[in-house]
Amino acid sequence: MAKMWSCVTVLLLHSIINYFVNCELPSEIEKCVAGDVICIVETINHIVQNYPNGIPEIGLDSLNAISFNGVVVSEAVPNTPMQMNLKFRTLTVRGFENTTILRAKGFDKDLRHGFELSGWTPSIHLDGIYEADGKLMMLPIQGRGQAQVLLTNCQFTCRAKAIEDLRTDGKRYAQITRVKCLVDIHGLHVNFDNLLDNKELSDSMNELINSNWRDVWHTFRKGISSAVDNVAESILKRVVNKLSHDDFYKHL
């Protein structure tokens, strides 16, 4: 009896290992021919729209809420209206589950060419614990507390570079080496608690920021784009670590 259970255990472990090592896209998701960017755009949008909670089998985590620690949004630049250091000790990003991919480039069989995705997200919510000091609109600030940042009508282009990783299963996997995103928005609204010692002054400062959001965005843009880089890179790395480059495409 013990021997029989040992055999069953070995077979079960073997099945589990094969499942995770040789994972593929779920059968209901259409595979595309390498280089067919129209098909790839449709497939990615299908995944985003139909799997907002992710697909654990291929390493895709939930897109509803993605968390980070220690995100620097801006650093003080002397002799500018926005001499502000802003850092999120904790940060949760929401809204990527509503993303629509509009264009794709690359996605060839040759990983050296990299790939590019451009898209649109109606709104991105950033929520977390912040620390800030410096000058904003030439007014001194020093605050810590809860913060919410809402970005509306967000347009982005993300470019990724990768190298080939041939594994012992005989398949090629992608190692992401660089992700760079350019982000533009058509609206910004913030609410920083305790931005100043006085609540009324803090509320007034928040109103001032929101009234001059275009100027503020120029200060925040680099750091927020960097946060989007981290989101995109973390999503891509988890997926390509589990889903081989060969299994992503349709074989003719």
Side-chain angles (χ1 to χ4, degrees):
M1 179 66 71
K3 185 175 181 180
M4 183 185 74
W5 279 112
S6 296
C7 291
V8 171
T9 302
V10 169
L11 288 172
L12 180 59
L13 287 173
H14 180 72
S15 299
I16 293 172
I17 290 169
N18 273 324
Y19 177 72
F20 283 103
V21 170
N22 299 311
C23 61
E24 295 187 359
L25 283 171
S27 58
E28 65 271 19
I29 298 176
E30 179 185 3
K31 288 187 178 182
C32 303
V33 175
D36 185 350
V37 292
I38 294 176
C39 175
I40 286 167
V41 166
E42 292 174 351
T43 296
I44 293 175
N45 283 329
H46 174 81
I47 292 173
V48 172
Q49 293 162 11
N50 290 279
Y51 298 91
N53 295 319
I55 308 174
E57 295 85 354
I58 65 167
L60 181 63
D61 290 341
S62 172
L63 299 175
N64 294 323
I66 305 171
S67 298
F68 298 95
N69 293 315
V71 177
V72 176
V73 175
S74 68
E75 295 180 330
V77 178
N79 303 317
T80 67
M82 307 289 179
Q83 301 174 36
M84 182 176 179
N85 296 306
L86 174 61
K87 177 181 178 179
F88 278 92
R89 294 177 63 88
T90 63
L91 177 64
T92 300
V93 182
R94 295 181 173 87
F96 281 97
E97 72 276 12
N98 299 313
T99 295
T100 299
I101 300 299
L102 302 175
R103 294 178 301 279
K105 292 182 180 179
F107 288 91
D108 300 323
K109 285 189 175 181
D110 190 341
L111 284 166
R112 292 174 300 174
H113 296 158
F115 51 90
E116 177 181 307
L117 289 171
S118 298
W120 172 80
T121 302
S123 62
I124 296 177
H125 301 255
L126 297 94
D127 185 11
I129 304 298
Y130 82 97
E131 295 179 351
D133 65 81
K135 291 183 179 180
L136 186 61
M137 306 293 182
M138 304 309 295
L139 297 174
I141 60 168
Q142 186 167 8
R144 289 174 177 78
Q146 192 74 29
Q148 296 85 35
V149 178
L150 172 63
L151 312 173
T152 56
N153 193 3
C154 309
Q155 298 172 339
F156 64 87
T157 296
C158 291
R159 300 180 178 91
K161 293 291 186 181
I163 59 174
E164 183 178 303
D165 177 19
L166 182 61
R167 297 188 184 173
T168 54
D169 61 3
K171 295 180 180 180
R172 296 179 306 149
Y173 290 77
Q175 282 189 10
I176 302 296
T177 58
R178 184 174 184 269
V179 176
K180 184 63 180 175
C181 296
L182 301 176
V183 181
D184 202 3
I185 64 171
H186 288 81
L188 169 70
H189 188 275
V190 306
N191 183 45
F192 292 98
D193 292 344
N194 307 316
L195 195 55
L196 297 167
D197 291 337
N198 182 285
K199 184 180 185 306
E200 290 185 0
L201 290 176
S202 291
D203 292 343
S204 297
M205 181 62 78
N206 280 306
E207 290 178 9
L208 182 63
I209 293 172
N210 292 326
S211 298
N212 297 273
W213 70 265
R214 288 181 177 84
D215 294 328
V216 175
W217 171 242
H218 287 303
T219 299
F220 287 177
R221 183 175 185 175
K222 181 178 179 181
I224 290 177
S225 294
S226 179
V228 175
D229 291 349
N230 290 334
V231 171
E233 185 171 344
S234 66
I235 292 171
L236 286 171
K237 281 187 173 180
R238 290 191 192 108
V239 173
V240 300
N241 186 54
K242 276 198 171 184
L243 180 66
S244 80
H245 192 64
D246 294 325
D247 288 328
F248 181 73
Y249 294 118
K250 181 190 296 183
H251 298 285
L252 298 177

